[in-house]
Amino acid sequence: MHAFTDSDELKRRLVIGLESKPKYIPFSYKYDEVGSMLQKDIYEFNDGYYLTASETWILQHHVQDIIPDASNDLTLIDLGSGDCSKTRFVIDELIKRQKTLTFYPLDISGEFLLKVATKLKEEYGDSLTIYPMSSDYKEGIEHLIQIKSTKLILWIGTMFNLSYEDQINTLRLTSTIMTDQCRLEFSADITLSRDAVLKAYDDDGGYKRRFNLNVITRMNREEGSMIDLDKFSYHFDFIHNTHPEFTSYIRAYIEAKEDVQYSIPGLGIDMAMKKGEHFYLHEGTGLSCKYTLEQLQTIVEKAGLRLTGTLIDKENHAVLFNVLLTARLILGRVDVGGNQDQPGKNHRIAVSI
Ligand SMILES: C[S@@+](CC[C@H](N)C(=O)[O-])C[C@H]1O[C@@H](n2cnc3c(N)ncnc32)[C@H](O)[C@@H]1O
């Protein structure tokens, strides 16, 4: 496996968040191995968490629709692959058609990714060649530019945790590794019912809360801080906004019950908070964005891409958008084609297992 994750960069972003007003934790800090396991628990045990079931339903029932008929020999890329449980529908279908498949799962936690990739390899054997990439989107996508084959790129259950600008920027960056033959499939949550959202994110079993608060326990464990969560109350809200250039989203934060001060030796900083001060468990305005179809269409357009297909689950919770390059980007690709061969020409981007 190849790791591109820069732990110094993550620490640098952590310090920026802790020294900001209000304080926040970068979203990707949630996904160490423990966080990835807690995310898996949400999928498995939080019955109110509708999104997994809805995305799974779409992939299960429409996998043939998302793979172009004419294509053969597609390479599969999965951005934010997690436990790959939904990806399996696509892997199965591609192996059925092509007999063999090359697969690049990309995710933050190297430990978790390696376990997932090893399990897949055991199951699929020689028909699946896996190049796991432990990386943030940006570094990972920049390396994936070296793959010349036709790609089917999945970005499932993941985009909506980035800030609005980063959703657009990551889509735009992803377009740089596409040709006019490639497809990008990304999913989004279109649930705007406050009740359904609260049931999913403020669940009785406390799965989401444990996942969100893992950032503090991780910091205590890795950076030697001794932040006492009993000195904070946990808050959660759903902000509804249907303006075409915004999204609805979840806001999650802890609030200090009294004045507190903690030293964080691993980061070389102290963290002081006044009673009533908020500490956000995400960057930007919020996380887990919810969208109208118009809002999603605006994001696709802002990223310079073209929407060609929309699949919605039977409960109306999730949508899978199929996007292609616009004509402008296809023409642009001819210009950059020569340069693409230059960087890292003899450099393997990841090691297969
Ligand atoms: C909600 S899970 C979805 C996993 C999987 N795609 C699915 O649908 O089951 C989000 C995944 O995205 C990964 N992720 C979040 N931010 C990321 C980033 N900046 N770069 C790479 N992966 C990221 C997380 O580690 C996590 O595994």
Side-chain angles (χ1 to χ4, degrees), residues 198-348:
L198 291 181
K199 195 160 169 248
Y201 288 85
D202 211 6
D203 58 290
D204 295 340
Y207 291 105
K208 269 284 179 189
R209 180 193 173 104
R210 271 195 291 286
F211 172 68
N212 279 337
L213 291 176
N214 173 51
V215 288
I216 306 292
T217 38
R218 175 178 181 184
M219 202 156 64
N220 283 347
R221 192 174 58 244
E222 293 184 3
E223 308 304 341
S225 54
M226 294 176 69
I227 299 171
D228 178 2
L229 279 170
D230 287 343
K231 298 219 177 335
F232 297 86
S233 50
Y234 174 76
H235 298 264
F236 165 92
D237 202 2
F238 176 49
I239 317 294
H240 187 259
N241 187 339
T242 54
H243 186 285
E245 300 208 359
F246 289 95
T247 70
S248 300
Y249 55 86
I250 303 286
R251 181 180 282 163
Y253 60 92
I254 51 175
E255 181 180 311
K257 293 183 194 164
E258 56 190 78
D259 289 2
V260 289
Q261 174 139 14
Y262 296 105
S263 123
I264 310 180
L267 300 178
I269 58 169
D270 288 340
M271 182 182 95
M273 286 178 68
K274 292 270 172 228
K275 181 179 175 184
E277 196 177 325
H278 294 178
F279 181 145
Y280 288 88
L281 302 168
H282 47 77
E283 52 200 315
T285 36
L287 76 165
S288 298
C289 297
K290 319 285 168 219
Y291 311 80
T292 63
L293 293 180
E294 187 186 13
Q295 288 172 334
L296 284 167
Q297 172 82 45
T298 306
I299 288 174
V300 169
E301 280 164 17
K302 279 179 188 271
L305 288 160
R306 175 167 56 109
L307 174 67
T308 53
T310 306
L311 295 166
I312 295 181
D313 74 298
K314 61 183 174 27
E315 309 283 349
N316 250 320
H317 280 309
V319 65
L320 190 71
F321 262 31
N322 174 271
V323 290
L324 302 178
L325 294 183
T326 57
R328 183 176 53 78
L329 281 174
I330 294 168
L331 289 174
R333 190 71 69 241
V334 174
D335 294 330
V336 294
N339 296 335
Q340 279 184 11
D341 284 339
Q342 295 309 315
K345 200 164 51 175
N346 301 314
H347 173 74
R348 295 189 61 181

Side-chain angles (χ1 to χ4, degrees), residues 13 27-32 35-36 39 43 49 51-52 55-56 59 78-87 106-109 112 133-139 154-162 170 187 208 211:
R13 285 169 50 205
F27 182 76
S28 49
Y29 195 66
K30 292 185 172 187
Y31 289 103
D32 62 342
S36 299
Q39 175 77 61
Y43 288 174
Y49 191 65
L51 193 61
T52 310
E55 289 171 336
T56 304
L59 286 166
D78 192 359
L79 303 176
S81 50
D83 68 359
C84 287
S85 51
K86 296 167 203 153
T87 321
L106 181 155
D107 211 302
I108 299 173
S109 166
F112 188 76
M133 298 176 71
S134 165
S135 170
D136 197 73
Y137 298 131
K138 189 165 179 301
E139 291 76 36
L154 304 178
W155 198 20
I156 309 288
T158 300
M159 170 183 109
F160 37 83
N161 285 319
L162 296 177
T170 308
S187 71
K208 269 284 179 189
F211 172 68

